[in-house]
Amino acid sequence: MGHEKATEAEPGEGVTHRLCSWVNGLTLEDIPEDIRTRAKYLILDGLGSAIVGAHLPWTEKAVNIVLDMEPAGDCLVWGYDKRVGPLSAAILNSTEVQSFELDDWHSLAPVHANSIMLPALLAAASQQKARANTVITGSNLLLSTIVGYEVGPRVGLCLHGSHMLTRGWHSGPVFGHAACATSVGKLLDLSTDAIEDAVGIACTQACGLMSAQFGSEVKRMQHGFAARNGLFAALLAKGGYSGIKRVFEEEYGGFLSVFGESSGRNPPYLETELIRGLGEIWQTEGIRVKPHASMAGTHCTIDTIAGLQKDHPEELKDLSEIINITIEMSEAAFKHGGWTATRPLTATGAQMSCAYVAAVQLLDGQVLPQQFHRDLLNRDSIWRLVENTRCYYTPELGEKYEQRVTITFNNGSSISKTMDAPRGVEPPLTNDEILEKFRTFTRGLIDNKRQEAIENLVLGLEDVNDVSSLDEVLAGLTLDPIA
């Protein structure tokens, strides 16, 4: 094993092997400094999301169920000071990161990278330290995380990115298995061939149904399936277990041929996107950080409403005068967030509904964790607005983030605003804004000393000799933000 620089492709060598060869040979020095710096702030955002999510009711339920069925192990459950096996730690800590729709997403190929990579990598590091007496450094963790940041979106671009959402797939768990396998494979110092085995083992487990968004608690856990399964795949490959070779380009039963089938696109999938611009085009730059506590496709709705509130304060002073709210959007956003919400709604459903978050923004002027307290979900004032809202797919708005909101009043007048993209996409949050988000959202959930320790460890990762110090500071008890 060990790292070797990727060489020119051999005749007939497939994209899977070429990707794994690049992963094997990548070093921190190969990655531009601004990408390395950005990655550390993205990691901080992911861990902040975990702190917010650790003791939400649905997270606690998952933790209690798993702790009851699994024996103690070597890996910490963040926010609980409990230890379980690596696979259970990966899925529970991932559920924490994804538990409140606050975590990152990729703007072209939707995947919540931190909810997959960070729990799997830190669980693998704990397992290695306990079972093999191998210490993982902060530099190892940073490099391996960036590997996952790069691979996940590339898998997604092969399948036309957000188009997977319009087909009913939860894109992240589909794209994320291979990302996790390569990320953990890098951390474990696997050879190119072993990384390819890990990818093949991971890809055969990939799935994710978007119907989870309408109210189920399992929506919070589905990226955790990718974290658990990708970690499992890499650990199997480390032990010499073989996986599917050429899993991306295999025509019969291959990953792209199966998930691309009936895509309605021509061609049904784009195999070369997996390796296009490796080492030159950095997908990490496409990862976006959320300012609002809701699904990314709702953010343009929120910001467009906020723009109307700023431009038309007098018209919107009395919300009882509103008789109709129309939200027009692209196909992916419509399929993901434009569905008709009905009363009662769980927090999961509320955070996935454009109509619901529009009402929240109109009433509360913000869409943050406290808006989704169970006592606030069924407000009559919210539901009067939701029931007067209609969402539409408008092809002229394109395929990305554009939305138009029109509000009509009792007197027959109306106001309207079109926005090309929400804040967080254009422009993306700056590193300083990400740091402020971490401090704001974790304030009061952990003490200032822990908050500062996490900041210093993450933003100084290259100087961390043993990442178990980060794992341990995350493991201390946290509070519920909506209690």
Side-chain angles (χ1 to χ4, degrees):
M1 296 195 289
H3 305 312
E4 299 174 359
K5 286 290 181 183
T7 57
E8 290 296 319
E10 296 294 332
E13 187 179 75
V15 295
T16 308
H17 192 81
R18 290 176 66 181
L19 175 72
C20 295
S21 179
W22 178 78
V23 169
N24 176 266
L26 188 68
T27 68
L28 270 181
E29 290 70 31
D30 297 327
I31 302 169
E33 183 178 356
D34 62 323
I35 300 297
R36 299 197 305 266
T37 299
R38 183 64 170 181
K40 288 184 284 189
Y41 282 89
L42 293 173
I43 290 169
L44 185 66
D45 184 67
L47 297 180
S49 297
I51 291 167
V52 172
H55 281 277
L56 292 168
W58 42 89
T59 311
E60 288 187 343
K61 185 187 297 185
V63 170
N64 290 335
I65 292 168
V66 172
L67 289 178
D68 187 55
M69 72 169 69
E70 296 289 342
D74 302 313
C75 305
L76 287 161
V77 180
W78 302 336
Y80 289 83
D81 199 22
K82 300 284 187 181
R83 290 183 183 269
V84 291
L87 305 184
S88 296
I91 200 167
L92 290 177
N93 292 334
S94 173
T95 300
E96 294 182 13
V97 179
Q98 247 277 282
S99 65
F100 222 8
E101 295 298 324
L102 277 171
D103 55 324
D104 64 281
W105 60 289
H106 194 276
S107 60
L108 297 179
V111 57
H112 302 284
N114 282 316
S115 67
I116 297 173
M117 258 56 73
L118 299 181
L121 288 168
L122 285 169
S126 294
Q127 185 78 351
Q128 287 298 103
K129 184 175 182 179
R131 301 301 173 98
N133 200 29
T134 300
V135 173
I136 302 298
T137 68
S139 293
N140 295 151
L141 179 67
L142 179 60
L143 176 59
S144 301
T145 303
I146 294 172
V147 164
Y149 288 169
E150 294 299 312
V151 172
R154 291 177 177 278
V155 176
L157 290 170
C158 289
L159 293 168
H160 299 281
S162 61
H163 180 61
M164 288 292 280
L165 291 171
T166 71
R167 298 173 58 203
W169 290 109
H170 193 181
S171 53
V174 176
F175 306 160
H177 280 68
C180 186
T182 54
S183 183
V184 177
K186 184 67 174 177
L187 191 83
L188 298 178
D189 197 28
L190 301 188
S191 68
T192 295
D193 287 340
I195 293 172
E196 186 169 0
D197 283 324
V199 170
I201 298 168
C203 282
T204 197
Q205 303 176 79
C207 186
L209 300 177
M210 206 56 256
S211 55
Q213 74 173 22
F214 298 120
S216 75
E217 291 171 330
V218 79
K219 161 64 178 67
R220 316 289 190 178
M221 189 178 281
Q222 288 188 164
H223 276 70
F225 299 157
R228 176 195 61 193
N229 296 344
L231 171 60
F232 183 50
L235 292 173
L236 284 173
K238 179 177 174 59
Y241 206 78
S242 64
I244 302 168
K245 297 295 188 183
R246 299 171 54 87
V247 71
F248 287 111
E249 62 268 30
E250 183 63 62
E251 293 184 8
Y252 175 70
F255 181 89
L256 295 179
S257 65
V258 169
F259 279 108
E261 186 176 357
S262 302
S263 69
R265 295 297 177 96
N266 185 22
Y269 57 88
L270 306 166
E271 183 180 299
T272 57
E273 288 292 328
L274 194 68
I275 56 171
R276 185 172 67 86
L278 279 172
E280 297 174 359
I281 300 171
W282 295 95
Q283 295 298 332
T284 301
E285 292 183 315
I287 296 175
R288 299 292 184 251
V289 173
K290 295 180 178 181
H292 309 301
S294 60
M295 182 266 292
T298 69
H299 283 216
C300 205
T301 303
I302 296 166
D303 285 353
T304 306
I305 293 284
L308 287 171
Q309 290 174 307
K310 179 180 179 181
D311 297 341
H312 303 276
E314 288 302 314
E315 291 94 326
L316 291 171
K317 185 177 292 184
D318 183 359
L319 299 182
S320 68
E321 290 296 309
I322 294 174
I323 60 170
N324 181 259
I325 302 169
T326 298
I327 306 172
E328 300 172 77
M329 60 192 77
S330 66
E331 184 179 15
F334 174 70
K335 290 284 185 70
H336 204 12
W339 49 279
T340 301
T342 57
R343 191 179 193 176
L345 203 60
T346 66
T348 302
Q351 290 178 297
M352 308 298 289
S353 166
C354 289
Y356 190 91
V357 300
V360 169
Q361 177 62 35
L362 282 166
L363 275 167
D364 298 343
Q366 62 181 17
V367 182
L368 298 177
Q370 53 265 39
Q371 268 68 55
F372 299 96
H373 189 284
R374 57 184 169 269
D375 293 341
L376 299 179
L377 290 173
N378 202 33
R379 286 179 283 175
D380 289 339
S381 54
I382 285 279
W383 282 99
R384 193 192 74 80
L385 292 169
V386 173
E387 289 160 3
N388 286 329
T389 301
R390 297 293 179 270
C391 298
Y392 298 95
Y393 164 42
T394 302
E396 70 183 68
L397 292 177
E399 296 187 354
K400 293 187 179 178
Y401 318 107
E402 303 96 322
Q403 291 190 19
R404 178 163 51 243
V405 175
T406 303
I407 299 176
T408 304
F409 301 95
N410 270 319
N411 63 8
S413 66
S414 64
I415 56 176
S416 184
K417 188 176 185 66
T418 302
M419 182 168 284
D420 291 336
R423 175 172 166 262
V425 174
E426 292 296 339
L429 296 193
T430 65
N431 291 342
D432 286 343
E433 287 174 323
I434 294 173
L435 178 58
E436 182 57 30
K437 176 189 170 183
F438 172 82
R439 291 173 175 173
T440 298
F441 279 71
T442 61
R443 187 176 296 125
L445 304 183
I446 58 176
D447 62 41
N448 293 341
K449 184 177 180 180
R450 279 178 68 194
Q451 195 181 53
E452 185 177 351
I454 293 168
E455 283 182 28
N456 292 338
L457 286 166
V458 173
L459 299 182
L461 264 180
E462 294 96 333
D463 299 320
V464 175
N465 294 323
D466 182 353
V467 295
S468 65
S469 58
L470 177 59
D471 214 20
E472 287 164 4
V473 75
L474 289 167
L477 295 178
T478 61
L479 300 178
D480 177 356
I482 62 171

